[in-house]
Amino acid sequence: DELLAEQKAAGANLDYNTIRHDMPLLHASVSEALRLRPPLIFLMRTAMTDLQIKDVVIPRTDTIFLSPVYSGLREEIFSKPTEAYDPYRFLAPRNEHEKHTHGWVGFGGGRHRCLGEQFAYVQIKTIWSYLLRNFELEAPSTLPVPNYEALVVGPKPPALVICRCALFPSLNRLLHTPSPPPPPHKLSPHTISIPSF
């Protein structure tokens, strides 16, 4: 309900500034989804000099692996990290991801942080804004588990979502369901499969 209220408050026009600056809850929701289900299993870096971190010395040229999955589940950064999907942890006053300079590494960190991060947020928030404004979406009773067999993690098939829409009768053709379009303002459910990555 709060995401829908935020969409309504943002107005009918979806321009760049609206997407970038007027949807903090949607931004936090995407960040929380990335915290719980990061698309990359690990990030690799090469030590350019000998590094000492506490009592461990990492020799120059060694490869360092960083796990976004583990990073997002650290209790010293995130409160109750495995118990719930909670986008408010990314909003003031909590801002849990800011407790440590690299407390959350959904897009990496430091000098080699992903250059496409802001573009990715704009793209994802544009898609979700369209979906939230035009469809009612519901997860089936069982959510898909992550597919760690691919380099980029996605859901293991089948990844299903229940979709209700009264605005697009052509949706029936897309979903291969030969039912007639619903009457105006009445939503009919369809189950669609999300392609795996």
Side-chain angles (χ1 to χ4, degrees):
D1 291 341
E2 291 175 58
L3 277 173
L4 295 176
E6 183 179 74
Q7 288 294 314
K8 188 174 182 180
N13 292 330
L14 282 177
D15 61 25
Y16 177 77
N17 286 325
T18 301
I19 296 286
R20 265 306 290 283
H21 305 292
D22 296 341
M23 299 181 182
L25 183 57
L26 182 56
H27 193 93
S29 298
V30 171
S31 296
E32 177 69 348
L34 288 169
R35 181 190 73 81
L36 288 169
R37 296 286 188 259
L40 297 177
I41 301 169
F42 57 81
L43 305 170
M44 297 186 313
R45 298 291 182 260
T46 300
M48 302 306 287
T49 62
D50 291 345
L51 292 169
Q52 180 158 356
I53 301 173
K54 297 189 178 180
D55 8 342
V56 176
V57 175
I58 301 169
R60 185 172 89 59
T61 72
D62 269 15
T63 301
I64 303 163
F65 285 78
L66 173 73
S67 169
V69 175
Y70 173 74
S71 172
L73 300 178
R74 293 174 56 197
E75 290 183 352
E76 64 271 26
I77 305 292
F78 298 105
S79 61
K80 302 178 183 173
T82 60
E83 292 182 23
Y85 172 86
D86 180 8
Y88 293 96
R89 70 177 77 244
F90 285 90
L91 296 173
R94 289 169 60 187
N95 288 324
E96 294 178 11
H97 62 297
E98 295 178 356
K99 287 181 184 175
H100 186 279
T101 57
H102 293 88
W104 180 76
V105 291
F107 288 90
R111 252 190 283 185
H112 299 285
R113 187 176 185 94
C114 177
L115 292 175
E117 177 179 4
Q118 294 309 315
F119 175 74
Y121 272 110
V122 168
Q123 186 178 36
I124 293 167
K125 288 164 62 177
T126 301
I127 293 166
W128 272 107
S129 293
Y130 182 83
L131 291 172
L132 289 167
R133 290 165 183 242
N134 293 289
F135 299 92
E136 284 183 17
L137 304 171
E138 179 184 340
S141 58
T142 306
L143 293 175
V145 295
N147 180 4
Y148 291 114
E149 295 170 6
L151 181 60
V152 177
V153 179
K156 263 193 179 171
L160 303 174
V161 64
I162 299 168
C163 173
R164 292 178 184 85
C165 175
L167 301 176
F168 305 102
S170 62
L171 187 63
N172 290 324
R173 282 196 318 272
L174 278 172
L175 300 173
H176 306 291
T177 54
S179 58
H185 306 296
K186 185 169 183 180
L187 301 175
S188 68
H190 295 284
T191 300
I192 59 175
S193 177
I194 307 295
S196 59
F197 303 97

